Amino acid sequence: MARIPDAFIDELLARSDIVEVVGARVPLKKQGREYSARCPFHDERSPSFTVSPTKQFYHCFGCGAHGTAISFLMNYDRMEFLDAVEELAKRAGLEVPRDTRQHNENNDSRDLYAALEAAARFFVKQLTASDKARAYLDRREVDAATRERFAIGYAPDSFSALRDALGTDARRVSLLERAGLFSKNDKGNIYDKFRDRVMFPIHDRRGRVIAFGGRVLDAEDSPKYLNSPETELFHKGRELYGLWQVRQTHTRIPRLIVVEGYMDVVALAQHGILEAVATLGTATTPDHAELLFRNAPDVYFCFDGDNAGRRAASKAMESVLPRMRDGRQAFFLFLPEGEDPDTIVRHEGAAGFDARLQQATPLSQFFFDELSNEVNLATLDGKARLAERAKPLLAQIPDGAFGDLMQQRLTELTGVGARNAAPQTHVPVQRPSQAASGTPRRSLVRSAIALLLQRPAIGLAVTPPFAFAQLRQPGVELLVEMLDTIHARPDIATGALLEHFAEREESAALQKLASQAIPGDEAGWRADLLGAIEQLDAQTLQQRREELQSRLSQLTETEKQELRALLSARSL
């Protein structure tokens, strides 16, 4: 995808009123300089969601949701990035740079999507003509409304039915082949990839068909499921079957239930459980985990109770842990041997399946149960082994209450960490604002960063080159990069500055600093920033003096002159 210029994004956000964008979807109440509401991204009774018109960003103190007007549209309206930009640009009377639009909307891509959509319509039409395919769905109790909801079709038992119907010219054949709908034998002959299968189109987040899954009608045939291969439009590790349908049903998705097969998703929907999705023949990937939590605060993983199911759950757990920000929950439901969501919901109904979900194992319990497997916690060796297994995984959990409590639980089980802090007061060392021995130097850099986040434009008063850039202190490189960004993009607002660092490990800390209100006004913040920079510059000179004095006997004549000048300056 062509990259939209930063300057355009800055102008777009500057001309977009985030209060207006959010307020059109969520009832806001003015509180001082900001607006508040109950968070639209997680359930809460008292408002912890704030929108700042001066900083042009939103932040939830409960679940950590944050961002600009663009990310709000992406998360609330579930738009893709380019669609959110187009929506805001239309409201602001701006035009997205033409080269970007042309790159993303080229004729070749449109034709590829059109070919897949035509194939989906072909399969739906074939279902109406196939008695055995309709009889199969009748046996599975899939009614007409559910078939239409998921656009279920049928691929005829023929080597060329799809090609004969749609491959009207060489270009169309090429498109269908690129879309993964044809196979080729050793002689180079092309034939239909899907034959005599019930067909399930896979949609992307904009509702476009990007691939297919096909299921055999006869249980004796194999493979049971056949998926489209990876293509330029379809990457199975990034997509979830049924998510498009879930999004069309819910304004706010309360939960997502991850199952293994297409028919599990369809059967649950048939019985009124409309939050199920399926991975596409692969283990839960980090991209899957991010996609799940972008859409719902609670995620239930539903697996077979056998060894394969436990292994799949373990992989899902590893993908989920780095995304367990406060407000998110994950659960694991293991089904009895020989059962799947399809059979259970047909036998027990939606109420019975919901009852099982209520008894699902929380991620925290599954984590320690899984890692304690074949470990004797009655011995020091066993406790050490559990700690060794757990520590690298716990280190991936984002800062917050969940990570604190998981570390506390490890301490309770093993004693590891008890010498550093009592379990009830455990605070992760990554939190500079609560570090027991935080030095004045570190807080000075942090203060400068916090001031820049109040009003980035005050950074223009700090003239490059930045002498303090040579200072060896935590956060200095980040402060320098923030100032460089502000000088390169003078109109950048707080929200856009946060977006610049969104993919960085410092992002969470920056969000917390930006959400704090510092008393004063722009003139006062500018003066405080310049004062902080002046102190950092002085510390840089002191650092250089100490370096030169530490190797006095090895100094060159030039370095001796530098030291004399530094000492003279200090005495003034």
Side-chain angles (χ1 to χ4, degrees), residues 29 155 174-175 274 285 299 324 333 373 387 390 409 495:
K29 182 178 180 181
S174 174
L175 287 168
L274 304 175
T285 66
V299 177
M324 287 301 295
L333 173 62
N373 188 34
R409 180 58 178 155

Side-chain angles (χ1 to χ4, degrees), residues 199-257:
M199 297 296 290
F200 303 89
I202 300 163
H203 299 84
D204 67 7
R205 275 148 273 185
R206 294 174 64 180
R208 299 172 297 191
V209 178
I210 55 173
F212 291 90
R215 192 196 191 285
V216 295
L217 301 178
D218 190 337
E220 302 299 318
D221 294 338
S222 64
K224 181 179 178 180
Y225 282 105
L226 181 64
N227 297 318
S228 291
E230 298 260 321
T231 69
E232 57 200 89
L233 300 182
F234 175 57
H235 304 279
K236 62 183 179 181
R238 303 177 194 168
E239 304 294 340
L240 293 165
Y241 175 72
L243 182 58
W244 166 251
Q245 286 80 5
V246 174
R247 283 173 160 174
Q248 303 317 296
T249 304
H250 300 274
T251 302
R252 282 177 56 193
I253 304 172
R255 65 182 182 183
L256 284 172
I257 305 162

Side-chain angles (χ1 to χ4, degrees), residues 16-26 28 34-35 51-54 56:
S16 299
D17 183 355
I18 193 169
V19 174
E20 182 181 328
V21 173
V22 176
R25 295 158 176 81
V26 178
L28 295 174
E34 300 182 338
Y35 293 79
V51 180
S52 171
T54 55
Q56 285 296 304

Side-chain angles (χ1 to χ4, degrees), residues 462-471 476 480 533 536-538 540-541 543:
V462 184
T463 307
F466 311 119
F468 69 88
Q470 304 303 316
L471 194 58
V476 166
V480 170
I533 297 299
L536 290 173
D537 287 344
T540 305
L541 294 177
Q543 174 183 281

Side-chain angles (χ1 to χ4, degrees), residues 300-301 331-334 355-363 365:
Y300 292 78
F301 293 94
F331 303 87
F332 294 85
L333 173 62
F334 295 98
R356 288 181 180 272
L357 289 176
Q358 297 304 314
Q359 300 301 314
T361 304
L363 169 63
Q365 180 182 333

